[in-house]
Amino acid sequence: MSTDPPGVAGAGVRRADPGATGAGTGTATEPARTGVHAARLAAAYADELARFAADHPRCAALAERGRAHMPYGVPMSWMAKWPGGFPVHVAEASGAHFVCADGHEHVDLCLGDTGAMSGHSPGPTVRAVAAQAARGITTMLPTADAAVVAEELTRRFGTAERPVDQWQMTLTATDANRHLVRYARHVTRRQPVAVMDFCYHGTVDETFATLDPDGRVVPRRGTIGAPVPPATTTAVVPFNDLDAIERELATGTVAAVLLEPAMTNIGIVLPDPGYHEALRDLTRRHGTLLVVDETHTLCAGPGGCTAAWGLEPDAVVVGKTIGGGVPSAAFGMTSQLTERVVASVGLEDVDVGGVGGTLAGNALSLAATRATLTEVLTDDAFVAMERLAVAWADGVRSVVERHGLPWHVTRLGCRAEYAFAPRAPRHGAEAAASDDFALQQYLHLQALNRRVLLTPFHNMALMSPATVDADVDAHTRAFAEAAAALVG
């Protein structure tokens, strides 16, 4: 699968109410760095808020009911971040669309922030889940699907000279990342883990660390109840900064480098040419394991960036997407790393070492994963998905250029985003500095009012096997209308 040239991204810095004049934008007469006047943004957002409330009385009522027994009125706190004052409540989701409680059909370009990249309820997955549910959901024993899933994951990700060909199943990528951090510390007898500044790897404690202006490792903004100061567990370096990672690895204390091959949760930040090859060389030279988290970057192709770019990790994580919406994730290791793990973990203690989970590898998840990988997210499906992402990116870019907005667009396989800066950032801090939460909230709400859903965390659109050209066109029209409202 081809990808756009390395180097583009967006999202990170958080600001307040989009309706507040000057929130992340310029004055009434002078546009901000984003090219948008504060007064125009405030007026446009107020209009969209009124429209949203008028269109969604049933969703509003459900949200109000939810507040009685759920913080923020939602089953998980981050759902409160959807724009509009309350999230739409889904009545039905199928393919690349969903219908809300008020009966409005929406194009879904969020797709569960990658969890539904297969499309909602794909037929083969639904049939496999229904059949397996009738035969048994979880038994703590393997089924015939387990070997098939491991073989398919090896086909996709085991492309290096030292292939990733030994797999274990979990329910989430967080679990998979946490387990690999434990294994890395165990076999290397080292403690610190190196991560990228502004990274995201689920809720793994060690990854909620960032660099302050003086280059010190500190808890990332918003971190809830950090167990220990992250400087004791984590080395943080900017993405694409080989000098910084070499300095950390040269200490001889780092157990593993954990990274996405392209950063995605701060917007898409692509690697410099030669970055991954140099990083692989440094980790091998200093005896540090290299763990690649492909949970979001599976968008780059059937084998993620590992296959598309010829990467050579010691371990790979892939999560949420592979189960077609049913909780499922996996981590793979090379035979060399697996041998070290097996030799150092006694059978008597294999169940109490902090790696596992009673429902990990359950029959239902494995049935869903087998069907999704072999019948839905196929090699051919990625070709069509990438074509649509190119069309989406081209549509957004044409609007940006037509209105003279100082924004940019980037793409990674079947995933694409726009961000509020004219040039591509090379690392997470630059991407974070380019964000404008107020502007982001307006654009997401404006699209939602035109029945198009983007992710609530950044300006990401994802294509599924069920997405069609008309879905992409719907976003381009909405985006063009939003740009016209913002700049006149």
Side-chain angles (χ1 to χ4, degrees):
M1 292 289 166
S2 64
T3 58
D4 284 350
V8 203
V13 175
R14 304 302 178 208
R15 296 186 176 90
D17 178 13
T21 300
T25 58
T27 67
T29 56
E30 292 293 330
R33 57 169 177 77
T34 60
V36 176
H37 291 80
R40 190 181 290 272
L41 174 60
Y45 187 71
D47 289 344
E48 297 300 333
L49 275 175
R51 177 171 175 171
F52 181 74
D55 282 355
H56 296 91
R58 178 60 179 157
C59 290
L62 289 171
E64 182 61 30
R65 180 179 180 181
R67 291 188 187 101
H69 300 290
M70 294 183 289
Y72 310 104
V74 291
M76 180 48 65
S77 58
W78 51 258
M79 292 182 184
K81 202 165 187 176
W82 291 102
F86 57 87
V88 295
H89 284 59
V90 176
E92 179 182 353
S94 178
H97 290 199
F98 73 89
V99 177
C100 73
D102 287 286
H104 307 306
E105 184 173 348
H106 297 72
V107 173
D108 189 354
L109 296 177
C110 171
L111 295 171
D113 195 25
T114 310
M117 194 171 85
S118 60
H120 297 293
S121 299
T125 305
V126 170
R127 290 189 291 273
V129 167
Q132 185 59 53
R135 294 194 300 265
I137 294 172
T138 185
T139 61
M140 285 185 64
L141 293 166
T143 64
D145 290 331
V148 177
V149 168
E151 289 164 3
E152 176 62 14
L153 289 170
T154 297
R155 182 189 75 82
R156 292 170 178 244
F157 293 95
T159 53
E161 184 176 345
R162 295 181 178 181
V164 172
D165 59 3
Q166 302 295 310
W167 293 88
Q168 295 281 270
M169 302 301 297
T170 65
L171 290 180
T172 69
T174 291
D175 289 341
N177 281 316
R178 187 182 292 120
H179 297 347
L180 282 172
V181 167
R182 283 184 172 272
Y183 277 141
R185 286 173 167 158
H186 186 72
V187 301
T188 65
R189 304 301 180 188
R190 300 174 178 181
Q191 287 300 311
V193 175
V195 301
M196 302 298 120
D197 196 20
F198 285 92
C199 70
Y200 186 77
H201 298 281
T203 57
V204 178
D205 287 331
E206 291 84 351
T207 65
F208 281 84
T210 191
L211 297 173
D212 71 8
D214 296 319
R216 293 173 299 200
V217 176
V218 296
R220 185 166 176 176
R221 175 181 170 181
T223 299
I224 299 169
V228 297
T232 66
T233 62
T234 309
V236 179
V237 298
F239 192 69
N240 279 322
D241 191 334
L242 289 169
D243 290 338
I245 191 65
E246 184 169 20
R247 285 194 298 271
E248 295 294 343
L249 298 187
T251 65
T253 64
V254 177
V257 174
L258 170 61
L259 83 165
E260 291 183 294
M263 298 185 76
T264 63
N265 223 62
I266 195 69
I268 301 172
V269 183
L270 298 173
D272 290 341
Y275 173 72
H276 281 295
E277 292 81 358
L279 177 62
R280 176 70 280 192
D281 178 66
L282 287 171
T283 53
R284 283 180 174 156
R285 192 188 314 164
H286 294 288
T288 301
L289 296 174
L290 180 60
V291 180
V292 170
D293 184 353
E294 294 267 24
T295 300
H296 283 167
T297 55
L298 183 62
C299 62
C305 295
T306 297
W309 297 347
L311 307 184
E312 300 181 0
D314 295 299
V316 166
V317 169
V318 59
K320 58 189 174 184
T321 301
I322 63 174
V326 174
S328 184
F331 64 92
M333 301 179 288
T334 62
S335 294
Q336 292 81 6
L337 176 55
T338 303
E339 288 171 5
R340 296 172 68 184
V341 167
V342 172
S344 61
V345 179
L347 184 61
E348 183 178 357
D349 299 323
V350 75
D351 60 329
V352 294
V355 172
T358 305
L359 295 177
N362 70 79
L364 193 71
S365 292
L366 283 168
T369 302
R370 176 178 181 169
T372 302
L373 290 178
T374 61
E375 299 182 64
V376 183
L377 290 175
T378 62
D379 294 14
D380 288 342
F382 275 94
V383 175
M385 292 154 66
E386 182 167 336
R387 180 188 67 79
L388 289 167
V390 170
W392 187 93
D394 287 346
V396 172
R397 190 177 292 113
S398 68
V399 172
V400 167
E401 293 173 353
R402 183 163 68 249
H403 290 279
L405 290 164
W407 304 353
H408 65 267
V409 186
T410 190
R411 181 181 63 83
L412 178 65
C414 63
R415 178 188 186 108
E417 302 202 16
Y418 59 85
F420 311 128
R423 291 184 299 276
R426 292 183 58 246
H427 53 72
E430 287 183 356
S434 74
D435 191 33
D436 187 312
F437 185 57
L439 181 55
Q440 183 185 93
Q441 287 272 293
Y442 162 73
L443 287 162
H444 292 192
L445 184 59
Q446 190 272 353
L448 189 58
N449 279 337
R450 276 80 182 161
R451 313 295 185 242
V452 178
L453 186 74
L454 297 170
T455 57
F457 314 120
H458 36 90
N459 309 308
M460 188 271 284
L462 187 67
M463 307 300 142
S464 77
T467 307
V468 296
D469 290 280
D471 299 331
V472 173
D473 294 341
H475 176 268
T476 302
R477 288 193 301 272
F479 187 71
E481 185 181 340
L486 289 173
V487 302

